[in-house]
Amino acid sequence: MDEEIYTCLDLGQPKSFFLFAGAGSGKTRSLVEVLKRFRANNIQRLRDSGRKVAVITYTNAACDEIQRRLDFDAIFTVSTIHSFAWELIRPYQCDIREWLRGHLKFEIAELEEAQRKGRAGTKAAEDRPRQIASKQARLEALDRIKKFSYNPNGDNTSRDSLNHAEVINITSDFLISKPLMQKIMVQKFPILLVDESQDTKKELVDAFFTVEAEFKGGFTLGLFGDTMQRIYSDGKTDLGRNIPDHWSKPAKIVNYRCPLRVVTLINKIRSNVDDQMQEAAKKEQDGVVRLFIADTSTFLDKTSFEAAVASKMAVVSGDDGWNDVNGAKILTLEHHMAAKRGGFGSFFDPLYAVDKLKTGLLDGKLPGVSLFANQVLPLVKAMETGDNFAVARVVRKYSPLLAKETLKTCKSARAEMLKANEAAKTLYSLWSADSPSLISILKELYRSGLFLIPDSLLPIAARSDGLDEKEDVSTTENYSDKDKVIDAWDEALKTSFQEFEGYLQYISEQSRFGTHQGIKGLQFPRVMVILDDEEARGFLFSYDKLFSAKDLTASDKKNEAEGKETSIERTRRLFYVTCSRAESSLAIIAYTKEPDKVKKHAISQGWFAEDEII
């Protein structure tokens, strides 16, 4: 398989490929070894022509690891998708300006039309003029901006900065509509390798396919991935199924992570989807798998039940690590479950219900999240410990009160510094009694001007109190006057800052609870998978349907008939990903009101033997 990939990287006769890389197959090792071999034979040729190999990975940690294993060689550009996209478009400032001009005009027109159709006196009616004014101000400022900026890991709140979504959308549009951009990318990067391609933004993947088709035979596009492990909704759904005939399709079928019993299980789980079966490298290690079915038709103390499961697993696996309170990684059905167990559901749930906010919420890059996480939290922690240097550092870095432009034009720099210091103290006073709500923090920041308020939160921060909170549906064309994004933030901002900190621990993987999104690429000796539709409250996933304990809905049947993705397909992928994290032993807990149906289906599918079900 590595030889096949290496052959595709021939600079004289390049060929594109899609590599199927199942769970635990060691694709990063293969990627690195192939690139090392390629470097040994082609480094001088690349250096002489000023070209490089681009490698796109999913996280900064993965970038660092690959760079380290490639000895930080400059002929390899290893970056996240946002960083790569920005490097492509950054030189074309005039084109960026014109794209933003058209985009902002379109958004303003949409808002004005919504305001025309809506009803006066509502929350939405008061919010929209501020949204329009904010976008209009940005539109008018475009010609005064000398250079646009962007930080893939930053807040991007200044008027001259682009947000994460804009960078992806601009890059996708440029690669599809501008032949010169295509030519420049291919000349600079004759080889482009994309890891976790099934979760890469579908707009960009489509754009890469467009470029590859245009430069077939002169450019290598290599996609590493497994459609069964697609976990983000904005990834390309059919990736791997419609690969062009001229591409190579190598496969890594050996699983180096899981013991034989776990590999057998995950093969069975995906057998109804495709024929990509894996072989276990640890054939001498059977491993232990158990399904624990909990009847929820009567009251059940889930905490006690899960503790009893851990004790039972310690016995059946002969591994006392199960008795350690943090000995097993608990993987939940959905984020709602982790949010409830971690105590941050009031903040998380409203935002996660809005599709366009999900990915930014999960990676912590929503502008509103960044405001509280990267500005408010460090400031408060510094003030708690009396670290004046840290306080000054945060304020100098983020506060518009101390921006260079402000200090250049103000009458007294000292007066501005005192104003910023007083604003920081007033903000911190909100913590004098108890953890304040996020909305009270936002209102104080708006009043003092200590930090910039993101456009998404500005209408809420500036809003007067006492407005009609009821849904407004005008009689004109049955038009809904609700803004889902603002309504979601309205609910989330009622949360205490302490609960928000619990959310931050979760997305930074400091919580003992994980989900299929949070454990991408990770593995654990002992894994406990929790299946609980009732606690998850999600309509996108359903283990009861997967285990035939609940009938398909009309919507499921309609999607199935139309060839669209169903909740069972999404759930099957999630089940596959969570189970495939186990290095030694795996406990699956199914909470259900139909225990007999779950057991019968689990046996009929060949997932579990009867003596493995408790």
Side-chain angles (χ1 to χ4, degrees), residues 490-501:
D490 273 330
E491 285 301 311
L493 289 170
K494 296 174 184 177
T495 305
S496 73
F497 192 75
Q498 184 177 20
E499 186 168 336
F500 175 77
E501 288 184 86

Side-chain angles (χ1 to χ4, degrees), residues 541-554:
F541 304 95
S542 175
Y543 275 100
D544 271 340
K545 291 178 184 177
L546 181 64
F547 279 83
S548 292
K550 183 185 292 185
D551 294 333
L552 296 181
T553 64

Side-chain angles (χ1 to χ4, degrees), residues 182-466:
Q182 298 175 0
K183 188 174 182 180
I184 290 170
M185 187 186 83
V186 170
Q187 287 181 341
K188 186 175 182 179
F189 302 111
I191 298 172
L192 171 60
L193 307 177
V194 184
D195 194 13
E196 303 288 1
S197 57
Q198 76 278 356
D199 278 319
T200 302
K201 299 281 187 179
K202 54 179 171 285
E203 298 88 349
L204 261 184
V205 173
D206 287 337
F208 291 154
F209 270 103
T210 298
V211 175
E212 197 279 336
E214 187 68 27
F215 291 86
K216 183 171 61 175
F219 169 65
T220 295
L221 175 60
L223 305 181
F224 294 69
D226 176 11
T227 53
M228 195 66 180
Q229 297 188 72
R230 181 173 62 84
I231 55 182
Y232 285 103
S233 59
D234 51 7
K236 190 168 174 60
T237 57
D238 60 349
L239 188 63
R241 299 174 188 169
N242 300 314
I243 299 299
D245 292 338
H246 67 276
W247 285 41
S248 287
K249 304 176 184 66
K252 287 182 69 69
I253 63 172
V254 177
N255 184 317
Y256 296 95
R257 173 193 300 149
C258 306
L260 180 60
R261 180 62 190 93
V262 175
V263 172
T264 302
L265 172 62
I266 62 177
N267 280 342
K268 284 287 187 181
I269 292 171
R270 79 178 296 159
S271 61
N272 291 338
V273 177
D274 57 36
D275 57 359
Q276 297 283 11
M277 299 293 106
Q278 288 188 294
E279 298 174 3
K282 303 177 180 178
K283 292 182 179 179
E284 73 286 353
Q285 299 179 30
D286 286 340
V288 175
V289 171
R290 292 292 185 274
L291 171 63
F292 297 84
I293 304 176
D295 187 350
T296 58
S297 57
T298 58
F299 173 77
L300 180 68
D301 184 337
K302 294 178 181 178
T303 302
S304 298
F305 186 85
E306 288 159 24
V309 166
S311 297
K312 183 67 173 178
M313 285 300 295
V315 174
V316 298
S317 66
D319 180 0
D320 198 50
W322 277 97
N323 287 322
D324 188 321
V325 66
N326 292 313
K329 183 68 175 180
I330 300 175
L331 303 181
T332 56
L333 164 67
E334 247 281 57
H335 291 288
H336 292 299
M337 293 177 63
K340 180 178 180 180
R341 289 166 178 245
F344 56 89
S346 297
F347 174 79
F348 185 90
D349 290 352
L351 299 174
Y352 190 63
V354 180
D355 285 340
K356 66 187 298 183
L357 300 181
K358 283 182 179 179
T359 300
L361 181 67
L362 297 175
D363 61 21
K365 289 183 177 179
L366 276 184
V369 168
S370 299
L371 170 66
F372 294 109
N374 300 334
Q375 299 174 50
V376 174
L377 179 60
L379 178 65
V380 170
K381 293 300 182 185
M383 298 191 80
E384 279 180 352
T385 59
D387 189 342
N388 293 328
F389 289 105
V391 171
R393 187 165 57 248
V394 173
V395 175
R396 276 201 305 268
K397 182 176 181 180
Y398 292 109
S399 180
L401 300 177
L402 298 184
K404 290 181 181 179
E405 295 78 8
T406 304
L407 297 179
K408 283 179 182 178
T409 57
C410 70
K411 294 181 180 180
S412 169
R414 175 175 171 78
E416 291 300 316
M417 291 179 184
L418 290 174
K419 181 180 178 182
N421 186 55
E422 187 60 33
K425 288 181 178 178
T426 304
L427 176 67
Y428 183 56
S429 69
L430 297 178
W431 277 260
S432 59
D434 201 355
S435 180
S437 66
L438 296 180
I439 185 62
S440 64
I441 296 170
L442 182 68
K443 291 281 189 181
E444 173 55 28
L445 291 176
Y446 179 75
R447 183 201 66 78
S448 70
L450 179 61
F451 296 136
L452 286 171
I453 307 296
D455 287 347
S456 55
L457 299 185
L458 191 57
I460 299 174
R463 185 191 299 152
S464 57
D465 297 327

